[in-house]
Amino acid sequence: MLKLTSRKALILTVFVLIAPFVLISTYSFFYIKVGVENNFNETMFRFTKNTAYASIETPVRKINAKLNAMAGMISKEDIAQYISPEHSELNSLLPSLIISNEMFSSILLSDSQDRYRVYPHKEYQGFKPSERPWFPTDGVKNTIYYSDPYVGVSKSPTTNKHVLDVTVSMNLFDRKSDFVGNIALDLDLNALSNILKGLTVPYNGRFKVAAMDGSIIMYANTKEIFAQKIPESWLKEIKETSGSFNDNENNQIVFYQTYQNPDWVALSTVSYDNYNKLLNNAYLALIYIILGCLICYLIVAIIIRMYFKQWVDVLYLSINENTPNETPRNLENLCKGIAKKNETLKEAVEAATTDPLTKIGSRRKFDQDVLNLFHSRVPFHLAMIDLDNFKKINDTWGHQTGDCVLQNVSKAGVERFGGKHDIYRFGGEELVALIYDLPFNECYELIDSWRYTVTKRKWREQGMLVSFSCGIASSMECSSIDELVATADKLLYQAKESGKNCIYPPIS
């Protein structure tokens, strides 16, 4: 047995308590980077996708719906009337589209001969719509085309320089699918960027939309539109529909979501400093938790050290029932005392539940088991057995021989049952058996084979014959334990009256 002093026991106790904490803390320290990184990536991917949907997909769907609706309304004759100086319904309808929709800054309607009209009204020298970068040249019907940023014909009122534009256009066809003209709308990128104003990007990041030439076309700070370009290295990294990459040169982590028509890309960026701050905060929180737990462990260790000896003394006296004892009151003797008490308890339980003569269950054990069976409503049979002429055996060969007969009959039953059923000494020469999960016929045959084994046994005593009679009652036919025992006893009595060495009721 391992010998422990109180000091060693204290050290072992503290070690057992703190070891799981150390393992968990070590695992958390190495895993925290993975957890923070996964959460960071998931958050940024979800934000980029959702914001791209709100700032690109939703406006594009509205623009496409308006263009398709207009294309279905405008005929070749309508174009001619709108371009001519004469008044037509389109002269008021198309301008109202610009006035009512902040996404567009101007509208141009042209026919197949490059005659055109612009609202707000402007005239351009040598201007041909079919030669503009936004004009679809493939002639595909029902196709909406978004241009790349290009140098427009308008000039900035402040710098007097040509400004960059992004135009969405659509060729128009008549019912015979002949080309009749084109409608083009210049996008107001400042207005489209309004949705980004006040937007809070996770981890103090930035969100912008750029064309595939690198030009920034949507940004919360509208002064940056066309004034800045994303790095060329980013365009080389953008190869999938969505993804992320690290820009070591600019110390940024970039998440992106791309589109084909328009050929734009939504970008969310977070600086290395903000990401490292997030990671360091997680490590700092872990360190605080570890320090707090260590302080708690230290307090517990001090308390245990102060009161451990006292606890051992109290337990020692309790186990030894406050009897004087010169043996030192330490953990080793405390463990010995507990083991001794446990062994004594086992012996007491065994003595209470086992018949000392036959080594089968006692009457008390039978009362407990049959009560549990009735409460659990498990069907079973009760066999009450009485040795025939047992008084004669005691009177003729002595009580010692009678005890030997009881022992051997009980042993034969235990062997025949094979541990599947239970046998108890009910009192004197009476035995009872609880037989589970067998129909009456099989139960009868099992008891009868036991009876046969007993009757065929050759005894040392000359002329001694041993047999028993039995009554079998079913729990399913009785409403209480008393009724079950009384029924079995009554059937046993019938077996005795029928000449003994038999079982009642007989098999029909």
Side-chain angles (χ1 to χ4, degrees), residues 82-123:
Y82 181 72
I83 294 173
S84 70
E86 298 177 2
H87 177 77
S88 71
E89 187 177 354
L90 281 177
N91 288 119
S92 58
L93 178 61
L94 294 181
S96 66
L97 177 66
I98 301 299
I99 296 171
S100 64
N101 199 312
E102 63 177 7
M103 293 186 296
F104 309 129
S105 61
S106 67
I107 183 169
L108 184 149
L109 188 64
S110 61
D111 62 11
S112 57
Q113 282 77 41
D114 273 340
R115 294 188 296 264
Y116 67 91
R117 186 168 184 176
V118 180
Y119 182 85
H121 183 71
K122 292 179 184 178
E123 293 291 341

Side-chain angles (χ1 to χ4, degrees), residues 369-380:
D369 291 350
V370 76
L371 182 62
N372 291 335
L373 286 172
F374 251 87
H375 285 166
S376 61
R377 301 186 182 277
V378 175
F380 65 94

Side-chain angles (χ1 to χ4, degrees), residues 7 21 33 52 63 89 99 160 169 203 252 259 280 296 299 310 322 364 408 411 429 438 449 451-452 464 506-507:
R7 182 180 180 83
F21 170 74
K33 184 177 186 301
I63 292 169
E89 187 177 354
I99 296 171
N160 199 33
S169 65
Y203 314 111
Q252 288 184 323
Y259 296 87
N280 292 336
C296 292
I299 294 173
Q310 181 179 345
N322 296 319
R364 177 181 294 181
N408 282 278
K411 181 180 179 182
E429 70 274 18
L438 288 180
S449 66
R451 182 194 62 79
Y452 182 79
M464 186 176 74
I507 296 178

Side-chain angles (χ1 to χ4, degrees), residues 49 87 178-179 243 350 406:
K49 184 176 181 179
H87 177 77
D178 292 330
F179 173 71
E350 184 175 355
L406 273 172

Side-chain angles (χ1 to χ4, degrees), residues 236-280:
K236 295 179 180 179
E237 292 284 353
I238 298 173
K239 300 175 181 178
E240 306 293 337
T241 302
S242 62
S244 66
F245 57 87
N246 294 338
D247 180 6
N248 296 324
E249 183 177 349
N250 296 294
N251 295 323
Q252 288 184 323
I253 304 171
V254 182
F255 297 83
Y256 65 86
Q257 179 81 27
T258 63
Y259 296 87
Q260 292 183 344
N261 188 25
D263 199 10
W264 297 348
V265 57
L267 300 153
S268 297
T269 60
V270 178
S271 68
Y272 283 174
D273 291 340
N274 288 330
Y275 174 74
N276 291 331
K277 183 179 179 182
L278 174 69
L279 189 61
N280 292 336

